[in-house]
Amino acid sequence: MSGADADGAAPRRSIATVCLSGTLTDKLSAASGAGFDGVEIFENDLVAAPFSPAEIRDRCADLGLAVELYQPFRDAEALPPEAFVRVLRRAERKFDVMEDLGAETVLMCSTTSAEAIDDDDLAAEQLHTLADRAGERGLRIAYEALAWGRHVSTWDHSWEIVRRAGHPSLGLCLDSFHVLSRGSDPSAFAAVPADRLFFLQLADAPHLAMDVLQWSRHHRLFPGQGAFDLPGFLRQVLAAGYRGPLSLEVFNDVFRQSDPARTAVDAMRSLIHLEEQLAGTPAAATLRDRLVLSAPPGPPELTGHAFAEIGVDAESGPVLGGVLADLGFAHTGHHRSKPVQRWQQGDATVLLNAAVVLTGDPGQAVVGALAVSSADPDSSAARAEALCAPVLPRTRGPAETDMAAVAAPDGTSVFFARTGGNWMADFLPTGAEPTAATGITGIDHVGLSQPFDHADEAALFYRAVLGLAPETSTEFAAPFGLVRNRTVVDPSRRVRIALSVAVLRRGEWAPCVPDPQYIAFRTGDIVATGRALRAAGVPLLAIPDNYYDDLDARLAIDPARLDALREIGALYDRDAHGEYFHLATEVLGSRVFFSVVQRTGRYAGSGSLDAPVRMAAHRRQRLRALNGSRTDA
Ligand code: MG
């Protein structure tokens, strides 16, 4: 073993209480449960708590949490003398709290006060005075430039003031949001002496053209969930010599109302994944004698969708089986120990599982599991576990394949099947053989609606745990509200998952198809497959003529091709890299449908441009079905 590894230490991981929903007690329990080493305690959480700071300190100690930071202390500097007297009094009271709390560092953010004077020397002088007071008690002040600070809004300006103040108890808090939202260059951190880097706060965010304060207060995300280069940022901070905790500070409207225990696990996953992205870089090699970053087993190569599983009941099972038969699938096997049917065509395998418990009225169906083919399922499972994915118990009987599975944030079971492995041995053959009946060759992707509270968590889960990368991200106006669709894909484009979520939490006005799910099959000839499906009586969705008239107007498609699409009810999209044809069955049960797609070139995504047309058609079909009439209106 190298001495470098033996001497290094893992960075402490911390989370600000403001990231989590609930009261301080809920937040501390959640942070501890997810494995954090420390917390930033937000003043509002402390003020609302019925415990003294000393009791909170004890509670944190019991939970294994260090109090890494107390925050925020606002509007402290660059003030007229009489106002600064009041600041000193306030500071002394807060230093009392910090001593009781066991917090060594307080965050002071650059002032937004209308009283503040644009005078760096005055700001430095007053911060020096405050640092003197803090230093007498063994406390430190970390000065942070708010991106919307009145006179100080960039990190380099905050450093200039800290430098002028020249006090050992005054240093910088670097916050990735404030730095990156202003387009500042993190490589300049190298000019700051390491002993002036007091604290680091990490937050990601999507690219948004909006007021920076609103952007920060509502749309921050955990690292890996947004568009900022967090690995690049952290690399620069560590290269500059920072050795304090890696602390998450995320203000997010959804996280504020979500189960804090889950949010904390999501946060921990993001930090581990962030560290991992640095661990393998040349820059990290120079840090190894001082820092050991997380390095879960790398993501093994994925080679395709091994199967998708639909939970059915006694009513929906025959319906789904009938449609699969009409789609040209063969019922090739049944499970040795469970009421599970295996249906196959080409490389597409669908399992109908009647052993799962479905809620709601009889006739429900739900996509409950998907399996990816992995070159190394054991490493896939070990990686998933290292990234905080809940490992599912393996319930298997004799002579059955041992297949690891984890639970995705929406409850979907994700299995790791060995590429070329013999998991099919779990099934006894029925005698039927798969054929190329309708030209379906495999599973192109699986589409899953995500719970509102867990959409960002899900995107990070599939990226980090499975090693998938974002392919497309779109928002569209669906008939019942805005929908965001994010497609993630493996490097070889053989495993693709389309995640969709309502942009705003839904109210009582719900569509006929809440939370749709689908399995998209691949074909090399959409027209031939479409005609075969129509001839077989597959309940394909009727697409209105208006759609094809618009397609003609927009894209001037060859008339014969347009007629063929109209005939089979296929939707069409194209981008700079290729084309995408797709058609859908009616909804089976209350939320599941099948889709058949053809891609040409390197078209990216899952046809979400046409989703509103498809969703409106599903609505019409569901209304007819619910009203007891299946005839086209
Ligand atoms: Mg901050």
Side-chain angles (χ1 to χ4, degrees), residues 40 71 107 144 146 173-175 178 201 220 249 251:
E40 298 177 25
Q71 74 136 317
L107 181 136
E144 175 192 65
L146 290 179
C173 172
L174 293 175
D175 178 316
H178 294 307
Q201 293 178 317
R220 287 190 183 208
E249 191 205 35
F251 308 84

Side-chain angles (χ1 to χ4, degrees), residues 296-301 374-386 404 416 418 465:
E301 180 189 21
S374 166
D376 185 348
D378 292 337
S379 285
S380 287
R383 175 177 178 79
E385 199 165 357
F416 300 109
R418 186 176 300 282
V465 173

Side-chain angles (χ1 to χ4, degrees), residues 94-444:
K94 294 305 174 184
F95 293 160
D96 293 342
V97 170
M98 288 171 64
E99 284 182 332
D100 289 347
L101 204 52
E104 185 190 339
T105 308
V106 63
L107 181 136
M108 283 191 183
C109 39
S110 59
T111 184
T112 60
S113 169
E115 269 191 294
I117 301 158
D118 187 7
D119 181 340
D120 287 356
D121 285 326
L122 179 63
E125 178 192 321
Q126 293 181 341
L127 285 170
H128 186 284
T129 302
L130 285 161
D132 243 4
R133 303 283 186 99
E136 285 168 11
R137 305 188 190 215
L139 305 177
R140 310 190 307 171
I141 294 170
Y143 184 53
E144 175 192 65
L146 290 179
W148 54 90
R150 186 167 181 86
H151 302 300
V152 176
S153 59
T154 59
W155 82 268
D156 46 328
H157 195 175
S158 65
W159 164 233
E160 174 57 23
I161 289 170
V162 167
R163 193 190 63 74
R164 286 191 200 188
H167 196 291
S169 299
L170 180 68
L172 283 183
C173 172
L174 293 175
D175 178 316
S176 64
F177 180 88
H178 294 307
V179 174
L180 298 176
S181 68
R182 296 297 307 256
S184 298
D185 178 9
S187 69
F189 297 156
V192 181
D195 66 0
R196 299 293 87 195
L197 298 174
F198 279 10
F199 209 76
L200 168 66
Q201 293 178 317
L202 295 165
D204 205 341
H207 284 310
L208 293 172
M210 67 187 298
D211 173 70
V212 72
L213 188 150
Q214 297 300 322
W215 187 13
S216 173
R217 293 238 171 112
H218 300 279
H219 301 284
R220 287 190 183 208
L221 292 166
F222 293 123
Q225 296 178 339
F228 287 168
D229 177 13
L230 266 296
F233 179 89
L234 181 56
R235 188 178 305 122
Q236 297 293 350
V237 178
L238 297 180
Y242 175 76
R243 291 297 175 269
L246 309 185
S247 193
L248 298 165
E249 191 205 35
V250 169
F251 308 84
N252 180 287
D253 293 347
V254 179
F255 299 161
R256 281 183 193 275
Q257 58 184 13
S258 306
D259 174 356
R262 285 190 57 163
T263 306
V265 171
D266 185 27
M268 177 57 78
R269 178 179 302 125
S270 82
L271 259 189
I272 294 171
H273 188 45
L274 176 61
E275 288 181 32
E276 176 191 24
Q277 291 171 79
L278 258 68
T281 64
T286 65
L287 303 171
R288 285 182 67 200
D289 59 333
R290 293 164 292 174
L291 209 58
V292 176
L293 298 170
S294 284
E301 180 189 21
L302 302 181
T303 55
H305 292 268
F307 64 81
E309 180 184 286
I310 303 175
V312 294
D313 62 16
E315 191 174 311
S316 63
V319 173
L320 272 289
V323 172
L324 283 169
D326 291 342
L327 282 163
F329 281 67
H331 177 197
T332 59
H334 56 263
H335 199 272
R336 292 172 185 275
S337 62
K338 302 170 197 163
V340 182
Q341 297 179 351
R342 184 185 67 199
W343 291 78
Q344 291 178 281
Q345 182 177 182
D347 289 331
T349 298
V350 176
L351 306 182
L352 298 183
N353 186 345
V356 297
V357 177
L358 300 176
T359 56
D361 295 334
Q364 305 293 314
V366 60
V367 177
L370 57 91
V372 293
S373 295
S374 166
D376 185 348
D378 292 337
S379 285
S380 287
R383 175 177 178 79
E385 199 165 357
L387 285 156
C388 315
V391 177
L392 295 171
R394 305 181 186 198
T395 50
R396 62 193 175 100
E400 292 180 20
T401 309
D402 183 10
M403 202 183 297
V406 295
D410 67 351
T412 301
S413 301
V414 178
F415 285 88
F416 300 109
R418 186 176 300 282
T419 300
N422 67 341
W423 66 270
M424 294 278 194
D426 290 359
F427 289 83
L428 298 171
T430 59
E433 290 294 327
T435 68
T438 61
I440 285 171
T441 56
I443 293 177
D444 181 87

